[in-house]
Amino acid sequence: MKLTVKFNLIFIAIFGLGLLATGLIARRFLFQNARDQTIQQARLILEAGRATRTYTAERIRPVLDRYQREKDAFFPESVPAFSAIRSLSYLHQAYPDYMYREPALNPTNPADRALDWEADVINLFRNETSLKEYVSERDTPSGRSLFLAKPMPAVASCMVCHSTPQVAPPAMVKIYGPTNGFGWKLNEIVAAQIVSVPMSIPNGVASRAFWNLMLWLGGVAALSLVLLNLTLLVAVIRPVGRMSSAADEISKGNLGVPELPVQGRDEISILADAFNRMHRSLAKAMKMLEE
Ligand code: HEC
């Protein structure tokens, strides 16, 4: 096998391994980063839901309560869950893959009844009370989706409307009926806030970044291979080739071949120098023999 082929095989093996290792690490890093960003997005939306809940409880309900008591009326707009779900439904309209829900196992509004996978998440929170947040992924018709969930316990202030129909505002029972959304126990995890965020966009960005990086690294590796080959040709292959053809000529008795050029003090030059000395000694010996 020729020296160039041998070296090229070694170079290609080294570059290939390097590219593979870099590719694996970069891929992991990019996709992990995409996931972290998606989680961050979900957290922001969840906080927006929480902020709307707090605003409704602190600012809207006191205003509407006065009016509700006077008129014996009930406005769902005074309910934190209602305002958080409704306001973020506008976000869902603009970005259909983004969704905010407050599913409950026993909901006041049937539209909030937990789907199978949501019920699993709520039950997970009920079984593991130390769990304060849960992140996972699932497949949806529009692609992979990440969801972030937080448990919702029933605290004392919730009991006015979620304990029994007798305690709840009559106007509310008139709207929602006496069967759903009651019987919640104090401090029990009754529902969850769940935000779903699509993975397709960040994953697409990560995938494009990955292939871009690999393309550039592949280009740099190919260029390095060309440069290494040129260096190999100039520093080793050509001088060794000159030396072997000179040796060939000399072995055939043609002692008149010109001396090899000696440049620098590397191993090849030292060898060429030694070769020239041997060539000269041989020529001298032959001359002495002839005389
Ligand atoms: C003033 C009465 C009232 C209070 C107080 C109240 N809720 Fe509700 N809650 C409702 C009504 C009415 C709905 C249904 C709203 C709708 O139509 O979307 C609801 C809906 C919900 C939902 C969505 C699931 C469902 O049942 O439809 C959750 C979760 C929820 N409430 C949790 C709580 C928690 C937790 C508290 C206490 C921090 C609380 N609620 C306090 C009246 C109340």
Side-chain angles (χ1 to χ4, degrees), residues 53 61 74 79-82 85-86 102 104 106-109 112 152-155 157-158 160-162 172 176 184 191:
R53 287 186 71 89
R61 185 158 354 121
F74 184 79
V79 174
F82 182 91
I85 295 169
R86 291 306 181 289
E102 291 189 8
N106 171 19
T108 313
N109 185 336
D112 300 325
M152 295 181 83
V155 295
S157 65
C158 320
V160 191
C161 300
H162 291 291
M172 174 191 138
Y176 289 94
W184 293 8

Side-chain angles (χ1 to χ4, degrees), residues 192-205:
Q193 283 179 290
I194 303 186
V195 176
S196 297
V197 176
M199 289 290 288
S200 52
I201 299 167
N203 273 354
V205 172

Side-chain angles (χ1 to χ4, degrees), residues 8 22 27 35 38 43 52 55 61 70 89 93 98 100 150 210-211 236 241 245 277:
N8 270 301
T22 318
R27 212 185 131 78
R35 195 183 141 93
T38 315
R43 211 166 263 143
T52 314
Y55 179 78
R61 185 158 354 121
E70 273 171 25
S89 74
Q93 274 172 22
Y98 290 74
Y100 174 85
K150 282 200 175 178
F210 172 72
W211 286 115
V236 180
S245 53
R277 263 183 279 121

Side-chain angles (χ1 to χ4, degrees), residues 219-289:
V220 170
L223 190 72
S224 309
L225 198 67
V226 171
L227 289 178
L228 277 171
N229 266 298
L230 281 177
T231 315
L232 190 66
L233 184 75
V234 172
V236 180
I237 308 287
R238 268 220 310 247
V240 169
R242 269 198 299 266
M243 221 176 289
S244 71
S245 53
D248 199 38
E249 286 299 315
I250 293 168
S251 74
K252 287 183 201 150
N254 180 10
L255 288 171
V257 287
E259 292 212 341
L260 297 170
V262 179
Q263 286 154 0
R265 288 301 300 162
D266 63 6
E267 286 79 353
I268 298 280
S269 311
I270 294 169
L271 183 63
D273 199 22
F275 185 92
N276 286 342
R277 263 183 279 121
M278 193 177 71
H279 179 190
R280 263 176 258 137
S281 309
L282 191 66
K284 243 187 245 160
M286 291 304 276
K287 210 167 167 193
M288 271 158 74
L289 269 181

